[in-house]
Amino acid sequence: TETAAMPKMLSLEPIHESLMVPTNSDVLQALLASDLKVLMACGGKGICATCHVKIRKGQDKLTPRTPREQRTLGFITGADPASRLACQCRVLGD
Ligand code: FES
């Protein structure tokens, strides 16, 4: 539908920036496209966790965790229920 295809808003903290990104963009690509430096040691394969982000609001507006993402987050310290790997989630809503 038209609504589904509309750009979605991604608000970034603590830098107080908002990005409009195409629906279904992966978060890592959206961040890189806006010239933000994000480490991505594994090249976006969901295995290094250098792209770890925390979703403060709207977890349900992202695609669910993949099994690989789940496994990788299980290996790192500092992961919590808000944690996602930016390369493994896609934006479905604001
Ligand atoms: Fe390696 Fe995302 S870039 S897990």
Side-chain angles (χ1 to χ4, degrees):
T1 70
E2 194 136 338
T3 314
M6 278 177 37
K8 302 296 186 276
M9 189 169 72
L10 193 58
S11 302
L12 309 175
E13 299 296 346
I15 59 173
H16 304 301
E17 266 187 52
S18 291
L19 312 174
M20 294 306 292
V21 305
T23 302
N24 226 29
S25 338
D26 80 60
V27 173
L28 178 63
Q29 290 310 320
L31 297 176
L32 294 173
S34 66
D35 287 334
L36 290 163
K37 289 215 175 73
V38 184
L39 292 174
M40 40 177 287
C42 75
K45 295 189 171 62
I47 54 182
C48 71
T50 55
C51 69
H52 180 200
V53 294
K54 298 214 176 171
I55 308 301
R56 296 300 175 206
K57 250 198 233 174
Q59 281 269 14
D60 59 330
K61 305 293 172 55
L62 298 172
T63 50
R65 285 187 183 156
T66 61
R68 177 182 289 177
E69 179 179 10
Q70 196 68 47
R71 193 171 339 119
T72 300
L73 287 171
F75 289 135
I76 63 170
T77 54
D80 66 25
S83 294
R84 295 299 307 262
L85 298 177
C87 69
Q88 299 295 297
C89 48
R90 284 176 286 114
V91 180
L92 301 178
D94 293 322

